[in-house]
Amino acid sequence: MATTAAQRQASQRRGNSTPSSSDDDTLSSQSDGPSTTPNMTQSDPSKPPHPSYNYTSAGITDNSLLNLTTPDWEILAALTLVALVVRLFRISQPTSVVFDEVHFGGFASKYIKGKFFMDVHPPLAKMLITLAGWLGGFDGEFDFKDIGKDYLEPGVPYMAMRLLPAICGVLTIPTIFLTLKAAGCKTTSAALGAGLVIFENGLVAQSRLILLDSPLIICTALTALSWISFTNQHELGPANAFQPSWWFWLAATGTSLGATVSMKWVGLFTIAWVGSLTALQLWVLLGDNKNVTPRIWFKHLFARVFCLIVIPITFYMAMFAIHFICLVNPGDGDGFMSSEFQSTLNSKGMADVPADIAFGSRVSLRHHNTQGGYLHSHSHMYPTGSKQQQITLYPHKDENNVFLLENQTQPINWAVDPTGNTSIPGPLAWDHEKPEFIEDGSLVRLYHVITDRRLHSHDVRPPMTEAEWQNEVSAYGYEGFEGDANDLFRVEIIKSMSDGVAAKSRLRTIQTKFKLVHIMTGCVLFSHKVKLPDWGFEQQEVTCARGGTLPNSVWYVESNEHPNMAADAEKVNYRNPGFFGKFWELQRVMWTTNAGLVESHAWDSRPPSWPVLRRGINFWGKDNRQIYLIGNPLIWWASTAAVALYVAFKGLAVLRWQRSCEDYTKSVVFKRFDYEIGVSVLGWAFHYFPFYLMQRQLFLHHYFPALYFAILAIAQTFDFATSRIVLPGNFTLKDKPLIGRTGAVLFLAASIVVFTLYAPLTYGNTWTKTDCNRVKLLESWDWDCNTFLDSYADYSLAVPNPASGGPAATAGNHGAALQGPAPPVAEDPKQDVLVTPGLPQQVLQQGAVTEEKIEYRDEDGNLLDEEQVKALQGKVSFTTRYETRTRLVDAAGKEIYNEVVGGGGEDEGEVRVAGTLAEGPDPVTSGSSGEASTQPPRVDVEADLAKEESVEGASATAEPEGRDEL
């Protein structure tokens, strides 16, 4: 029976075949690709290989970068110079905030001010951008808040910040040139690959702005260079293993991996690529029992573990250590983090507080699960439901977070009545009593100290979550009111979540985790990630849930104060999580936030559309110019074709291998084509297909790392076609270098032409509608050609609109721009009013009369006199409205026409001014025994309103791609 191809290959690996002209194609012990067999046997496999066992894989030469010739370096320098010009051309344009500069420029401001923020990306790229801005003189005062916000007037050194990504983009060109040379490509092929990266519109556009993609791509490129150089040393034979060059490139690979994953989590795909090739190398080494002893194999294993695992992890963690050192102050991102984490920030830490909690203690309660903040109330009412005072979660420390814990019964006043029939009234009754600790199962009432109302719940639906299993939670009562049964809650300690024996039996500050069960309805105090509207200042909703999930029903006490607590009472504080605790917590929050970015976006796209370039991203638009992220179609489609060509080749090769064809044993070029281009296509696959598993927002720029590997595949395919492949009949271009050079020049020239056609979208240059429509090849390319003027001469006549701030940002985590003119700025009609002292004096202006007067009206339109206005001041809010009317009178002075200009309704031209909302007596629950106090609350409502409106939200919001993706 004839042996199969697999049996023949296994026999060759065991050394049972006789060396022949075709035997030089078997696998080498030092190669994950094709190689030769040793030229002699080893009598004792337990001993290290003899130096005479040095061999080189078939088709491999020493491609050390030290062997580059002078012309190679000259071409490399010329390409780098061209890249410098292309990347830095008009880098000051535009002079306003573009796309995600909103986020990453804003992060630089926060780094300089040391304000903690939460982003879904690791910190290295952001810290480098911050360093560039700081060296350029950036003081962190500019907030990068809106797309189109001007850089020039505030003097922002935005060019220095844009220079960092631009330099990274420039460095990508020599990196890909050296990578292709390390892979064994001719100089022409390497120059072609570098030229394609230079003139790829998408790569140019993203490298000229304050974005993270350019630093990510240079680190990915450096990883590819280091790994391919290491692989070349590995394939040169056993004598090169563990030599300085071998160690250098292996360590450089690990360092580059650490830098890549520290830019964006897309670097995890690069790690997977290198990891799979490393596993292949070790697998081949393990099968060579003639030349690789167990000791040598483990030496290879530990070398790779150290360089490819330990070094990247150490680098990655070091970046977060610097990140924590820089961000020491509270910021809008600390609401994402645990209380322990927040306590490490300046001014967020707290002094030690008494451990035991007694009746009469003034406490602040914190929600355990959502990090939404503290149980909070303020002097504002629900607009629906019971219309009682709001209860929310508030992310910052505040006096409105303080509640006094009352027992269900008042303490006995033994001093006044020895019979025990007289109690001490009021919430302060426990201040002079011996502290009575609150045990598991105790009934309590939570008295809001500032507004004199108690935590309250009843069978009324909440204003937002109108589910039957949810009840409204409010603050109800008034000063002197004894409360009612709906104020009572039972403390249920969750022993499995509480720390320490004592904390499992009685309330302890920080240590005890507990639920508050409403006595009358059986629901538990509950909160979830639902924000209230503007009337609730976007704070987090608090409800009482029947059967609420445990994590969202868990609370703990953070601050605790009792007037009669002993000075030497046991005190507690948050445990310092240390670096590792903070590091792991931040990784979890980043992962959760990243996975939660699932809302649709105006410019998002899905992976199937990327290889064919179906649509791009609108970055910016102003003054009939536009920046739209779109790739060079020729380069983009050619790279996809190169990948498809290899896939077709591999499919055919597998079929022929199954049919026992001897392609792999007879042709070194066949094997090298399969392995070398396969490595690049594998890199493309690892950086492309994982996105199919993601449901979150995705954008075209997520494809850039995969595009880089696809361009490598183009250049390598070209190299094989022009300098290695020999077709049947001995036809080859190896001896016709002029044809190869001419083909490279023509393809590169065509790429440059296409680049210039789309350059106006890349740089934000002037363009015409005709030129725009001429190159708009696909209907899915959704930039608007009507944005541009009809001719270039029109741009010299057009007057720039300084008020135009660029297109509005769309909703979502991106600050993406929607093309179109800026909205008009409403003029103040008051500026056109001629003020005439001593009404009703009149001034004639070309037969017309302009007069001004102020009127006060109630909500029904009734005119109010001065005494009525004075009586209402401080009790209601007034809304200002400017109104222009046209009034016609005849010669006798009789009014014949009086209408509002524009014919609008009552709200035409209305301008609202912030004021204090009018509040009547506090409503009460139907059937309750008490009545709400008509006295104003003890806290100034206007001051409270101003304070609440300054809050950014009940919890910090993740700031995307940023905040946008891996």
Side-chain angles (χ1 to χ4, degrees), residues 801-881:
N801 181 11
S804 176
T810 58
N813 78 314
H814 262 291
L818 286 175
Q819 178 57 29
V825 178
E827 296 181 355
D828 186 354
K830 190 175 181 180
Q831 296 177 353
D832 298 326
V833 174
L834 177 62
V835 179
T836 56
L839 288 175
Q841 295 180 7
Q842 299 175 346
V843 178
L844 290 176
Q845 295 179 345
Q846 298 179 354
V849 176
T850 301
E851 63 181 18
E852 180 186 89
K853 61 180 178 179
I854 300 175
E855 295 177 346
Y856 290 90
R857 296 179 181 271
D858 62 17
E859 58 185 2
D860 297 322
N862 300 318
L863 190 64
L864 305 178
D865 57 30
E866 292 184 4
E867 293 183 359
Q868 291 174 312
V869 171
K870 290 181 179 180
L872 290 173
Q873 285 180 348
K875 299 180 180 179
V876 300
S877 62
F878 291 96
T879 298
T880 303
R881 184 176 72 184

Side-chain angles (χ1 to χ4, degrees), residues 504-656:
K504 298 178 188 298
S505 60
R506 65 176 184 268
L507 280 190
R508 301 261 295 179
T509 307
I510 298 175
Q511 299 173 350
T512 301
K513 307 302 185 294
F514 60 93
K515 296 190 295 183
L516 289 174
V517 182
H518 191 242
I519 295 300
M520 298 300 292
T521 62
C523 61
V524 293
L525 195 65
F526 178 92
S527 185
H528 50 173
K529 291 184 177 180
V530 174
K531 287 187 176 182
L532 298 174
D534 291 342
W535 54 258
F537 311 101
E538 296 186 351
Q539 295 175 16
Q540 191 163 307
E541 182 184 45
V542 174
T543 67
C544 195
R546 292 188 291 272
T549 58
L550 181 64
N552 287 335
S553 305
V554 180
W555 304 82
Y556 65 95
V557 173
E558 181 181 84
S559 66
N560 173 27
E561 179 183 357
H562 193 289
N564 209 25
M565 189 69 71
D568 58 351
E570 180 186 359
K571 291 185 166 72
V572 294
N573 208 329
Y574 286 116
R575 290 179 294 185
N576 190 325
F579 167 74
F580 290 102
K582 294 173 64 176
F583 172 81
W584 284 116
E585 179 179 343
L586 185 55
Q587 304 309 301
R588 291 194 302 269
V589 172
M590 289 168 60
W591 180 271
T592 303
T593 305
N594 197 10
L597 300 175
V598 295
E599 295 181 0
S600 61
H601 189 278
W603 300 104
D604 61 7
S605 55
R606 303 310 300 174
S609 68
W610 298 342
V612 294
L613 195 63
R614 285 188 56 84
R615 75 178 307 215
I617 308 172
N618 193 14
F619 273 8
W620 174 88
K622 184 179 179 182
D623 297 331
N624 303 108
R625 293 172 172 86
Q626 188 173 1
I627 295 179
Y628 186 94
L629 182 70
I630 193 73
N632 185 316
L634 178 60
I635 298 173
W636 207 282
W637 293 335
S639 67
T640 302
V643 172
L645 176 64
Y646 174 80
V647 172
F649 161 81
K650 188 66 177 179
L652 180 62
V654 170
L655 291 176
R656 288 179 58 82

Side-chain angles (χ1 to χ4, degrees), residues 6 170 832 896 941:
V170 171
D832 298 326
I896 59 176
V941 178

Side-chain angles (χ1 to χ4, degrees), residues 98 358 360 404 458 462 631 652 659 685 805 870 911:
V98 178
L404 188 150
H458 38 223
L652 180 62
R659 295 294 298 170
K870 290 181 179 180
V911 180

Side-chain angles (χ1 to χ4, degrees), residues 13-14 45 285-293:
R13 282 199 302 270
R14 292 193 297 269
L285 288 171
L286 185 63
D288 188 0
N289 56 6
K290 289 288 186 182
N291 308 303
V292 180
T293 65

Side-chain angles (χ1 to χ4, degrees), residues 308-383:
L308 302 182
I309 297 179
V310 175
I311 289 179
I313 290 176
T314 302
F315 188 101
Y316 182 75
M317 296 181 71
M319 295 304 102
F320 277 93
I322 299 173
H323 178 74
F324 292 145
I325 291 173
C326 294
L327 303 180
V328 296
N329 299 317
D332 56 11
D334 55 30
F336 283 92
M337 313 311 296
S338 68
S339 302
E340 289 83 359
F341 190 108
Q342 293 184 38
S343 67
T344 64
L345 302 174
N346 292 341
S347 78
K348 279 284 188 174
M350 66 179 189
D352 294 344
V353 294
D356 289 304
I357 301 169
F359 291 111
S361 291
R362 283 76 165 168
V363 301
S364 62
L365 274 65
R366 192 153 193 169
H367 197 234
H368 176 71
N369 190 44
T370 64
Q371 302 301 329
Y374 302 88
L375 190 67
H376 178 90
S377 188
H378 42 230
S379 298
H380 302 284
M381 308 301 167
Y382 290 120

